[in-house]
Amino acid sequence: MKVSYKLQDKFDLVIFIPVIFLVIIGLMAIFSATYNQSLASGNFQKQLIAAVFSVLILLIVYFLPPVSLRELALPSYLLSIFFLIVVLVLGRTVYGSKSWLNFGPLGFQPSEFAKVGVVLFMSHWLTNKKDDINNVKDIGVALLIGFLPVALILLEPDMGTAIVFVIITISILFWSGISLFAMFVVLSPAIVIFASLLGTFFFILSLAFVVICLVFFKRDLFNSITIFVANLASSYFFSYIYKILKPHQQKRIETFLNPNADPLGSGYNAIQAKVAIGSGGIFGKGYLQGNQTQLRFIPEQWTDFIYCVIGEEFGFIGSIVIIILFLILFLRLLKLASNAKDKYHALIIIGVLSIIFSHFAINIGMNVGVTPVIGLPLPFLSYGGSSLMVNMILIGIVLNIYRNRKMYT
Amino acid sequence: MNDSLFGSATRKNIIYFVIVGFCFILILQLFSMQILEHPEYAVKSEENSIKPVYQTAPRGVFYDRNGNILVGNKPSFTIRITPADYNNRLDKYIEPVIGVNPGFISKLLKENSSYSKYIPIKIKKDADFKIIAWYEENASNLPGVDYVIETQRDYSFGVSGSHMFGYTKEIGIDLLRQKKKEYDMGDNIGYSGLEKTYEKFLKGIKGIRYIIVNAQQKTIGSYNNGINDKSAIKGYDLILSIDKNAQEVAEKSFEGKRGALVALDPNNGEILAFVSSPQFDLSDFATVTSTEVWNRLNNDPDKPLFNRATMSIYSPGSTYKLLAATAALEEGIITPDYKITCQGGFQFGDRFFKCLHVHGTVNVITAIEKSCNTFFYQLILKIGLKKWAEYSHKFGFGMKTGVDIPEESKGLVPDEEYYDKIFGKGRFPKGILVSLGIGQGELSVTPIQLAQYAAIFASYGKTAKPHFVKGLIKSVTHEFIPITPEYFDVGVSKKTFDIVREGMYDVVNRAGTATNIRLPNIEIAGKTGTAQNPHGKEHSIFIGFAPFNNPKIAIAVVVENAGYGSTAAAPIARDVIKAYLEGNSKKVNENETYRQLLSNLIINKN
């Protein structure tokens, strides 16, 4: 098997094969979810075209000269911000979010492509600066790079995607060696915001936690108070954002906390998805045989709830196969990041890992009822051209880094 | 950049732990849902998509004693609206077509809005074929509208029988709440008459068709290729004791009259003919009863909805003399030889009670034959209120007969207790008693009690409770299930009955009050009565039985405001007796092939 060894040397099959399997399973699931569905009858064909096209793009990215990854960092970020602003002005509103831009018959979601821009530029900025990351100014700049798109995406508003950008930013900062204290400063507002959602008691509890941590880190009083005030401010800022959210978006957050509170409204999907997966049993009901899927109990199942098609029709076995394929991909990405000689490349791979993992965790989590219902596609499987394309570009970037890994010593 | 911390092994391990840990949580959750909790989820999933659709069963039909159909079924179209799929903008197109006022549909949908909007609501029953044709042409523009074929009562078999058959009505919301296990919205339920009494047999068992629906409750197809479906089972048919021939004659005789007729087989209490007049048209109730029809019937001064045969109370008049005679003879108060002299009345205290004629010397038989008041004015004083009331109760007065339709009055037999309440203990004037002797005063009876009374004389006191239903026929097996009537014996000696019966014979066959109804080949015995009516002309009453020696029919007839018993009531009784005993050539020998015959007949008729 000399040939295949050589292939593996230039082209990471451990990444590529799980991805291709996931795309194929995704196509099968979309076919099943849109079967008998007059309104979505063309979706499978569209996705098939997108899949073929995205493999081509993957190959193009794979063959890009190594230097282009650096050259593209700033332009791709600026372009991302530009489109995120354009979409707020010219975008098409879908399900209450202004997240789509149309070019004739083609539409795309700038927030999907912005992920690439943020990963490239943030990694680039963090590797190019001379100083230690652990100072207020640098952390501030890094957060600005990450949170500028978050702010723009929240204006659409698209909670789910905004959360992904927060995770990307934090993951890259984490890998780049941010100190525990700095990490705490970055993370604590998120914790306080989440706690405030659960009620006053948890809000106060989280503030107490912040105070205890501040005592533990033994920083001076001024810094500590500043951080505490920043935490308070962030929760107020969030509650302000919460108030300007549309009722259905507020409802989503409430349902997140208690899906059974509104079984026929926003909790409906979460419950039906669990019924679909749970009724699949060990071996599933068989391909195209799932009554929950085939009888359209879950609206738009081919997007955010594609995983329950697999859970219902292929059962426990099928559900586990998907998780294992992703797990192979994640652990391989983590290994490549650890082994990467170039810090820039390591950070990019961590960025890619954080994007795919956060989608995976939130999407499958909401399908099986362990995370809130946040509208995020499942990478490679969910219907949606932009999402598939971006994920394939990200994989292409990783494969490109792998191809050129020996150039850096 | 902090080189020592960048991508450190610790940080790698933390990320590794997050990834593997989260995947482990997902796998645990999948294991719990898909393996441990799979049974519950499987049931939920099935329930989600499999919907039972109920099909109304045809009601059991009514046959007469000879297998002639009396009440049948016919198919009819019912237009329905499923609120979930319906748009109110269509009201203005549908309302004129089905012939209702604007606003009818929205009102109906509003009234039923507490029910699931996926349950269709019937907006027009018995829709004309033209309406169905219109619907078929426009169906694609009428989402949420459909029609079903249902069965509906068919009353086109020549008899009206409105008060005995009774009617069915769409179950009301209140009753539905009580019986929600057995009935669904839009179901019909027996509201009166036999339809009500035998409801649980007549209604049959609904069919269930399992269909697969999607989340919008749209039908996708049948479930499991229909293996689990059950077809509707028609209700039990009723074999009534009614003789169609006699019933037709009875109904015809009452055209334009108010009153009631009940004819029984004295041997077993089977009701042969039953009329309360005026009747109403049951077909008004076969579909949705319109408010106009309902108001018209309710406000009619003739009270057509009122069942006079079992609920209207009348003074029995002279027909009650038979009871006094029986009590006196049986108690040994008088003998057949006991005589009095009638000089046209009876002086009691300061009041003179008149007789119709000067009858001269009369014994108990001639007193019955000639209906001599004088004889009975005196007789009741001898019997006393206590004994008289005791015999009245024995003969079924003052209490319900227990006939198998729900509407019945008890009537009133005044006794000592009753008068004590009015006048104080032991202080009622004896003059009241004198009136009771000839069946006037507070005494009131129903026509069905009078028919039972006639049957008691015909059967020497051994008869059964009046009833309409001989038995039921199971629709699946065609098995005949007889209903055993409740027999009773009033416990009066044959000797006493022989004397009273002789008087009754003479009423028709010698020089009595009803010789006008004598028939050449049937010996009828009876007693006329003329009941005083404070509101107008007297009611004409006749009770009797025939043939005298082997009675097969006992009858009571009351014609309101028609004067003497002999002029109005007796001729009707004669016609019905004649119709029953002579008119029916195709009568069946019950003991032989009755069951088989009925079964065959039912197969043929359905």
Side-chain angles (χ1 to χ4, degrees):
Chain A
M1 296 293 278
K2 212 177 166 189
V3 178
S4 90
Y5 174 78
K6 269 193 169 166
L7 179 63
Q8 174 64 42
D9 190 48
K10 285 277 173 199
F11 190 82
D12 190 2
L13 291 172
V14 185
I15 296 266
F16 187 72
I17 289 172
V19 166
I20 287 302
F21 268 112
L22 289 171
V23 171
I24 290 169
I25 295 171
L27 284 169
M28 284 175 71
I30 289 164
F31 181 79
S32 176
T34 56
Y35 190 68
N36 284 332
Q37 284 268 34
S38 50
L39 286 175
S41 54
N43 286 11
F44 171 74
Q45 284 82 347
K46 280 194 222 160
Q47 187 72 0
L48 189 64
I49 292 164
V52 172
F53 198 57
S54 65
V55 172
L56 289 175
I57 289 188
L58 180 144
L59 293 173
I60 291 168
V61 175
Y62 171 72
F63 285 115
L64 285 179
V67 69
S68 54
L69 284 184
R70 285 177 201 279
E71 285 169 352
L72 282 171
L74 184 63
S76 66
Y77 182 74
L78 292 177
L79 205 62
S80 298
I81 300 299
F82 171 74
F83 276 119
L84 284 175
I85 293 168
V86 170
V87 80
L88 288 175
V89 184
L90 303 172
R92 179 161 60 98
T93 305
V94 177
Y95 301 120
S97 291
K98 231 177 182 185
S99 61
W100 280 83
L101 270 182
N102 280 10
F103 294 95
L106 295 171
F108 84 107
Q109 274 180 292
S111 58
E112 286 294 332
F113 290 91
K115 289 167 189 166
V116 182
V118 166
V119 166
L120 290 182
F121 183 59
M122 210 176 145
S123 305
H124 184 70
W125 189 82
L126 283 170
T127 34
N128 269 19
K129 54 188 230 32
K130 308 276 183 300
D131 310 322
D132 188 304
I133 174 74
N134 289 304
N135 64 73
V136 176
K137 190 197 124 207
D138 287 341
I139 291 175
V141 174
L143 287 178
L144 195 71
I145 294 169
F147 286 178
L148 179 60
V150 171
L152 292 171
I153 290 165
L154 275 177
L155 288 174
E156 289 179 3
D158 182 351
M159 271 275 287
T161 308
I163 289 171
V164 171
F165 277 83
V166 171
I167 295 172
I168 299 168
T169 307
I170 290 169
S171 306
I172 293 176
L173 277 174
F174 177 74
W175 196 256
S176 69
I178 187 171
S179 73
L180 265 184
F181 174 72
M183 198 72 200
F184 159 75
V185 173
V186 171
L187 276 182
S188 60
I191 295 167
V192 173
I193 286 169
F194 183 74
S196 71
L197 278 176
L198 296 175
T200 316
F201 174 75
F202 290 98
F203 175 61
I204 292 166
L205 202 71
S206 68
L207 288 179
F209 169 76
V210 169
V211 171
I212 290 166
C213 289
L214 288 171
V215 172
F216 171 78
F217 285 118
K218 292 195 183 83
R219 295 299 162 124
D220 63 61
L221 194 65
F222 176 75
N223 268 345
S224 298
I225 289 172
T226 310
I227 291 162
F228 185 77
V229 169
N231 269 305
L232 265 182
S234 66
S235 72
Y236 281 110
F237 174 71
F238 180 79
S239 74
Y240 171 74
I241 295 271
Y242 183 77
K243 275 175 200 144
I244 61 166
L245 286 179
K246 305 246 164 59
H248 78 271
Q249 292 159 331
Q250 295 182 352
K251 199 113 195 176
R252 272 195 168 185
I253 296 170
E254 284 164 30
T255 315
F256 155 60
L257 300 167
N258 182 11
N260 292 316
D262 185 15
L264 289 176
S266 30
Y268 174 84
N269 289 358
I271 293 168
Q272 293 296 344
K274 284 185 82 174
V275 170
I277 293 171
S279 64
I282 299 178
F283 301 106
K285 297 174 184 170
Y287 188 52
L288 305 178
Q289 303 295 313
N291 56 320
Q292 295 280 118
T293 301
Q294 300 308 330
L295 303 174
R296 290 181 262 162
F297 277 86
I298 302 152
E300 305 270 320
Q301 197 181 0
W302 49 92
T303 58
D304 298 345
F305 286 97
I306 196 72
Y307 188 66
C308 37
V309 179
I310 294 151
E312 186 181 24
E313 300 196 339
F314 299 103
F316 185 65
I317 307 288
S319 313
I320 295 291
V321 164
I322 299 295
I323 290 176
I324 290 171
L325 288 172
F326 271 110
L327 194 58
I328 294 169
L329 179 63
F330 297 147
L331 297 181
R332 182 66 178 176
L333 286 171
L334 186 59
K335 192 174 180 209
L336 292 183
S338 300
N339 296 347
K341 303 289 189 306
D342 184 278
K343 284 183 179 171
Y344 176 51
H345 290 166
L347 286 180
I348 289 173
I349 296 172
I350 288 299
V352 171
L353 173 60
S354 67
I355 291 170
I356 298 176
F357 179 74
S358 56
H359 277 87
F360 161 85
I362 292 172
N363 182 287
I364 296 192
M366 80 174 178
N367 271 269
V368 303
V370 298
T371 54
V373 177
I374 298 170
L376 278 181
L378 182 58
F380 313 114
L381 287 110
S382 285
Y383 171 76
S386 301
S387 164
L388 182 61
M389 211 87 79
V390 167
N391 285 313
M392 293 301 247
I393 289 171
L394 294 172
I395 295 297
I397 290 171
V398 173
L399 292 175
N400 181 300
I401 291 168
Y402 182 84
R403 179 170 70 99
N404 302 307
R405 69 193 184 283
K406 287 170 184 166
M407 289 171 63
Y408 305 89
T409 45
Chain B
M1 188 171 288
N2 192 329
D3 282 345
S4 63
L5 292 174
F6 184 94
S8 71
T10 318
R11 295 199 177 210
K12 185 189 166 190
N13 288 340
I14 289 173
I15 293 180
Y16 181 87
F17 178 77
V18 169
I19 291 170
V20 174
F22 195 84
C23 288
F24 184 68
I25 291 171
L26 290 180
I27 291 170
L28 265 188
Q29 174 74 359
L30 286 167
F31 181 81
S32 149
M33 286 166 68
Q34 297 188 302
I35 294 171
L36 302 181
E37 296 169 65
H38 171 247
E40 291 108 89
Y41 282 116
V43 170
K44 275 188 195 164
S45 165
E46 290 252 299
E47 282 171 354
N48 247 347
S49 55
I50 299 164
K51 192 173 102 176
V53 178
Y54 296 99
Q55 289 164 312
T56 357
R59 288 178 81 81
V61 303
F62 297 175
Y63 292 98
D64 88 336
R65 61 193 298 111
N66 303 313
N68 298 305
I69 195 157
L70 296 174
V71 175
N73 290 323
K74 62 181 178 189
S76 78
F77 299 108
T78 299
I79 309 261
R80 314 185 301 175
I81 284 179
T82 307
D85 306 327
Y86 182 73
N87 188 323
N88 274 99
R89 279 179 305 172
L90 296 171
D91 287 2
K92 60 174 183 282
Y93 304 105
I94 299 169
E95 280 167 345
V97 174
I98 63 169
V100 293
N101 295 328
F104 172 84
I105 293 176
S106 54
K107 192 173 151 238
L108 203 64
L109 297 187
K110 211 176 155 193
E111 279 168 8
N112 293 296
S113 59
S114 61
Y115 279 84
S116 165
K117 51 189 170 80
Y118 299 112
I119 296 179
I121 290 164
K122 296 172 182 176
I123 57 157
K124 171 82 180 170
K125 286 190 178 180
D126 197 22
D128 194 84
F129 188 71
K130 275 183 199 156
I131 298 176
I132 301 302
W134 172 84
Y135 170 80
E136 289 287 2
E137 250 172 66
N138 298 287
S140 58
N141 299 320
L142 298 166
V145 185
D146 68 351
Y147 68 89
V148 283
I149 299 172
E150 295 187 312
T151 58
Q152 175 195 305
R153 278 301 196 209
D154 183 0
Y155 297 107
S156 62
F157 298 95
V159 289
S160 172
S162 42
H163 297 93
M164 64 169 147
F165 299 148
Y167 54 88
T168 64
K169 241 169 91 169
E170 198 167 305
I171 188 162
I173 294 272
D174 294 331
L175 198 57
L176 184 61
R177 291 210 173 93
Q178 289 168 36
K179 296 179 179 257
K180 58 182 163 208
K181 279 189 187 147
E182 300 152 76
Y183 294 88
D184 294 312
M185 197 173 63
D187 282 356
N188 271 5
I189 186 169
Y191 254 69
S192 71
L194 294 167
E195 297 275 21
K196 184 175 183 182
T197 306
Y198 293 94
E199 169 65 18
K200 69 172 174 178
F201 297 104
L202 290 169
K203 75 176 174 130
I205 300 167
K206 278 189 192 177
I208 308 176
R209 215 155 49 83
Y210 292 98
I211 55 167
I212 299 178
V213 296
N214 67 10
Q216 287 77 47
Q217 302 291 311
K218 279 226 170 79
T219 308
I220 306 297
S222 78
Y223 167 69
N224 206 2
N225 287 324
I227 289 164
N228 305 70
D229 295 359
K230 289 188 186 104
S231 23
I233 299 170
K234 185 182 159 221
Y236 288 48
D237 296 325
L238 297 188
I239 304 291
L240 304 189
S241 53
I242 293 293
D243 182 272
K244 191 180 175 189
N245 198 37
Q247 179 71 19
E248 277 171 354
V249 170
E251 286 183 0
K252 218 170 156 47
S253 311
F254 264 98
E255 271 170 17
K257 298 185 178 74
R258 273 178 293 145
L261 175 150
V262 179
L264 298 170
D265 183 335
N267 303 299
N268 53 23
E270 290 176 355
I271 296 172
L272 303 169
F274 184 95
V275 176
S276 168
S277 182
Q279 310 219 33
F280 56 92
D281 191 353
L282 278 175
S283 44
D284 284 341
F285 291 85
T287 63
V288 179
T289 317
S290 68
T291 326
E292 297 95 86
V293 171
W294 185 251
N295 288 342
R296 173 168 57 71
L297 289 171
N298 256 324
N299 299 331
D300 190 325
D302 282 341
K303 293 194 179 358
L305 291 174
F306 189 64
N307 188 342
R308 288 174 159 78
T310 55
M311 297 183 80
S312 193
I313 49 170
Y314 301 97
S315 289
S318 299
T319 59
Y320 219 71
K321 289 170 181 169
L322 303 175
L323 186 115
T326 306
L329 288 165
E330 188 68 11
E331 293 295 319
I333 293 164
I334 58 164
T335 64
D337 301 328
Y338 167 80
K339 289 187 182 74
I340 61 124
T341 305
C342 169
Q343 290 173 326
F346 173 58
Q347 185 69 41
F348 183 74
D350 57 355
R351 229 184 116 183
F352 185 73
F353 291 87
K354 281 198 282 188
C355 195
L356 291 170
H357 299 284
V358 177
H359 291 112
T361 305
V362 287
N363 63 10
V364 66
I365 294 171
T366 46
I368 293 170
E369 179 192 348
K370 305 244 164 72
S371 202
C372 173
N373 287 354
T374 311
F375 184 90
F376 289 97
Y377 287 141
Q378 296 172 35
L379 190 62
I380 185 108
L381 291 171
K382 288 172 180 286
I383 299 167
L385 182 60
K386 199 171 168 215
K387 276 283 166 218
W388 177 84
E390 188 190 310
Y391 272 81
S392 295
H393 291 310
K394 256 188 192 177
F395 278 63
F397 294 105
M399 63 186 81
K400 291 181 178 179
T401 63
V403 66
D404 49 351
I405 57 172
E407 305 82 12
E408 196 180 1
S409 316
K410 286 201 285 195
L412 176 70
V413 173
D415 52 13
E416 285 180 340
E417 206 185 318
Y418 174 83
Y419 286 122
D420 285 350
K421 268 189 202 150
I422 297 173
F423 298 103
K425 199 162 172 61
R427 291 173 57 191
F428 71 89
K430 293 285 181 293
I432 282 174
L433 199 55
V434 175
S435 301
L436 292 176
I438 58 160
Q440 301 291 350
E442 283 85 354
L443 175 67
S444 48
V445 302
T446 63
I448 193 165
Q449 287 173 337
L450 286 176
Q452 179 177 258
Y453 176 61
I456 289 169
F457 288 107
S459 66
Y460 286 94
K462 296 178 186 64
T463 181
K465 276 186 176 178
H467 59 277
F468 288 100
V469 176
K470 288 171 76 77
L472 308 160
I473 291 180
K474 244 183 174 171
S475 53
V476 181
T477 57
H478 299 306
E479 181 192 349
F480 179 73
I481 303 156
I483 291 179
T484 319
E486 205 177 306
Y487 285 90
F488 61 88
D489 185 348
V490 297
V492 170
S493 66
K494 182 170 184 295
K495 215 174 93 195
T496 300
F497 274 125
D498 275 335
I499 296 160
V500 178
R501 282 165 56 109
E502 195 184 332
M504 293 173 79
Y505 179 83
D506 292 349
V507 167
V508 181
N509 300 291
R510 285 190 66 194
T513 50
T515 48
N516 58 323
I517 65 162
R518 195 186 300 172
L519 288 171
N521 49 352
I522 301 168
E523 288 182 321
I524 301 173
K527 182 74 194 82
T528 55
T530 306
Q532 285 167 13
N533 171 20
H535 307 293
K537 207 176 165 190
E538 290 88 349
H539 300 322
S540 167
I541 304 179
F542 180 83
I543 66 159
F545 60 84
F548 181 70
N549 287 317
N550 179 23
K552 288 194 160 54
I553 179 170
I555 193 165
V557 181
V558 178
V559 185
E560 289 182 11
N561 313 113
Y564 293 119
S566 56
T567 53
I572 292 177
R574 175 199 56 205
D575 294 347
V576 172
I577 289 169
K578 191 168 165 3
Y580 177 62
L581 294 177
E582 285 184 344
N584 212 329
S585 53
K586 55 166 183 160
K587 207 164 275 178
V588 178
N589 184 339
E590 289 175 26
N591 297 330
E592 281 174 22
T593 53
Y594 188 56
R595 291 169 203 192
Q596 288 85 339
L597 183 107
L598 281 170
S599 311
N600 294 340
L601 184 136
I602 283 149
I603 294 164
N604 296 338
K605 288 220 162 148
N606 285 348

